[in-house]
Amino acid sequence: MTHDQGPAQPRPSLTPPEFASALSQPRHAAPAVIAPPATSPAPVPVAGAAPRRGRTATIWIVGLLVLVLVALVGYFLNAIGPGASLVGMLLALLPLAGVLFAVRLVDRWEPEPRGLLVLAVAWGAVAAVGIALGVDLLITLAIGVDASPLREAFSVVVQAPIVEEVAKGIGVFLIFATARRAFDGPVDGIVYGALVGAGFAFTENIQYFALAFIEGGAAETSATFFVRGILSPFAHVMFTSVTGFALGLAARRGVSAGQAVGPWLLGLAGAIGLHALWNGSALFGDFFVLYLTLQIPLFAGFILGVIALRREESRLTRRRLGEYAAAGWFTPQEVDMLATSAGRRTAMAWARTLRGDRTPLMKGFIADATALAATRQRALTGRDPHAASEERELLSRTAATRAAMFAP
């Protein structure tokens, strides 16, 4: 990114990729020169608004969610009743809280815009459930009601995985298409996919818990909660994360929304396959045996994959901030601090020892520096025409925050 008059024409790089991993972000433009800071920068107000990292969801998406929410509330009240629905909702909040906490841990390195996180949960809890219920109703009207084992197997292993994963996947794709500046790579895709899946599981659990309460009272409800709330709270999260992961890889390659349809379909295929495997294990085999021998290893592999992607984010942050350090914006010690979780914890502890407890300033400094690294990476891949202006604002903010932390 340059600060000269007129946009610079990107040139293809002849340098080898920074990381050997196949998940590494490709470079679409040669590294731009970073202007060094002024020797005596003028004070910049610290309390300025943070740069926007994503576009607000369009009004028609919000309107759709409101309309479907009204329809879902009416459905639950009429089909299940207010009392059982309330019991189901209270119980469903418990696994949702655990999932949201886990996703928050994954998203701590470079937090996504809060509005998009809320949109992801809302799409899963409202729109995806509404779409799935509507399609299921159309299929029932088309082929009728059949209690045969073959019809049950089709519904559980084929219909449900396809319909539900497509409904959830649409939400992840919409976030990708409308908020590209906040969709930087696989970790972001996993976060958005996980939250869409968490929202879907929340509403689905309301129905399961409520029906169990109606049919079998506390005993049946406890058994259902054990299976869905304790043994498998991350099932939908893991399924839809596969879709988000595929879109995250597409985002790293700087593809357009139209070009991302192929990766999205590939991710959907993976999500549908995992979903069908999960449902099939419950229908055709010994659920608990398959849970121990198959589902737990799959979940462990999922966790290890997320950890590996987080480490790659750390390496990328170090590389990009190192370029700013070479230009004089950060010290090498600050880069070491900002690029590791241990360094960030040490910095927060040090900020608490300063006069007046300056941890909010340090927290803002870390967040802005991480956003700065992501902004430069988007500029290098040539997919963010607003990166230069965002870079200037973030550089001013980090300089002002540093000055405030060291102020007497």
Side-chain angles (χ1 to χ4, degrees), residues 165 168 234-243 267 270-271 274-275 278:
E165 292 309 320
K168 291 183 290 179
F234 291 94
H236 278 289
V237 169
M238 187 168 60
F239 304 153
T240 315
S241 291
V242 175
T243 304
L274 281 178
H275 198 154
W278 178 274

Side-chain angles (χ1 to χ4, degrees), residues 119-132 160-175 189 192-202 204 228 234-244 247 264 268 271-272 274-275 279:
L119 174 63
V121 176
W123 182 273
V126 179
V129 173
I131 293 171
I162 294 176
V163 172
E164 293 176 6
E165 292 309 320
V166 170
K168 291 183 290 179
I170 290 173
V172 185
F173 189 85
L174 284 175
I175 294 174
Y192 291 125
L195 290 177
V196 171
F200 187 92
F202 168 71
E204 190 178 55
R228 297 188 61 86
F234 291 94
H236 278 289
V237 169
M238 187 168 60
F239 304 153
T240 315
S241 291
V242 175
T243 304
L247 281 175
W264 177 67
L268 275 180
I272 291 169
L274 281 178
H275 198 154
N279 287 3

Side-chain angles (χ1 to χ4, degrees), residues 49-404:
R52 295 171 63 108
R53 299 182 54 235
R55 295 195 298 267
T56 305
T58 53
I59 190 64
W60 66 267
I61 297 179
V62 177
L64 172 65
L65 290 174
V66 172
L67 290 176
V68 178
L69 177 61
V70 172
L72 283 178
V73 171
Y75 165 76
F76 277 104
L77 292 178
N78 290 322
I80 301 176
S85 296
L86 180 60
V87 172
M89 184 183 69
L90 293 176
L91 290 175
L93 285 172
L94 298 177
L96 176 65
V99 170
L100 293 181
F101 177 75
V103 174
R104 174 61 179 167
L105 293 179
V106 175
D107 192 40
R108 284 179 64 183
W109 186 264
E110 185 200 352
E112 302 307 308
R114 186 170 300 177
L116 292 178
L117 300 179
V118 173
L119 174 63
V121 176
W123 182 273
V126 179
V129 173
I131 293 171
L133 288 175
V135 173
D136 288 342
L137 177 61
L138 292 176
I139 294 176
T140 300
L141 294 175
I143 65 177
V145 178
D146 185 356
S148 67
L150 182 61
R151 176 69 178 90
E152 182 184 7
F154 172 80
S155 175
V156 173
V157 182
V158 178
Q159 177 181 325
I162 294 176
V163 172
E164 293 176 6
E165 292 309 320
V166 170
K168 291 183 290 179
I170 290 173
V172 185
F173 189 85
L174 284 175
I175 294 174
F176 172 87
T178 61
R180 289 296 305 282
R181 297 175 68 193
F183 212 121
D184 293 320
V187 174
D188 293 350
I190 288 173
V191 167
Y192 291 125
L195 290 177
V196 171
F200 187 92
F202 168 71
T203 304
E204 190 178 55
N205 280 339
I206 294 176
Q207 183 175 12
Y208 274 98
F209 296 155
L211 290 176
F213 180 75
I214 293 172
E215 296 172 359
E220 183 71 19
T221 305
S222 299
T224 304
F225 182 82
F226 176 73
V227 173
R228 297 188 61 86
I230 296 178
L231 291 184
S232 58
F234 291 94
H236 278 289
V237 169
M238 187 168 60
F239 304 153
T240 315
S241 291
V242 175
T243 304
F245 173 77
L247 281 175
L249 290 180
R252 282 205 160 178
R253 293 177 174 88
V255 303
S256 64
Q259 294 170 327
V261 172
W264 177 67
L265 291 175
L266 185 61
L268 275 180
I272 291 169
L274 281 178
H275 198 154
L277 179 64
W278 178 274
N279 287 3
S281 67
L283 183 63
F284 297 121
D286 188 321
F287 173 78
F288 292 101
V289 172
L290 289 174
Y291 180 82
L292 293 174
T293 59
L294 182 62
Q295 304 300 345
I296 288 183
L298 279 175
F299 183 66
F302 175 76
I303 296 299
L304 292 175
V306 170
I307 292 174
L309 291 171
R310 278 285 305 272
R311 288 180 177 176
E312 186 182 349
E313 273 197 332
S314 174
R315 293 195 297 269
L316 193 64
T317 300
R318 180 185 293 275
R319 178 63 62 91
R320 296 285 81 89
L321 291 183
E323 296 169 4
Y324 288 105
W329 286 99
F330 296 95
T331 66
Q333 293 77 15
E334 286 175 334
V335 173
D336 290 337
M337 177 268 290
L338 292 165
T340 62
S341 298
R344 293 179 175 194
R345 288 193 296 269
T346 300
M348 293 294 290
W350 172 78
R352 282 193 291 270
T353 66
L354 299 177
R355 186 173 62 85
D357 186 4
R358 299 181 183 180
T359 52
L361 289 174
M362 178 60 73
K363 185 176 181 180
F365 181 74
I366 293 172
D368 287 341
T370 307
L372 181 63
T375 299
R376 179 159 176 82
Q377 189 63 42
R378 290 198 305 273
L380 291 176
T381 56
R383 62 185 179 87
D384 186 0
H386 306 289
S389 60
E390 187 170 345
E391 177 198 46
R392 288 191 293 270
E393 184 172 352
L394 286 168
L395 286 172
S396 296
R397 287 171 58 82
T398 54
T401 304
R402 182 193 293 107

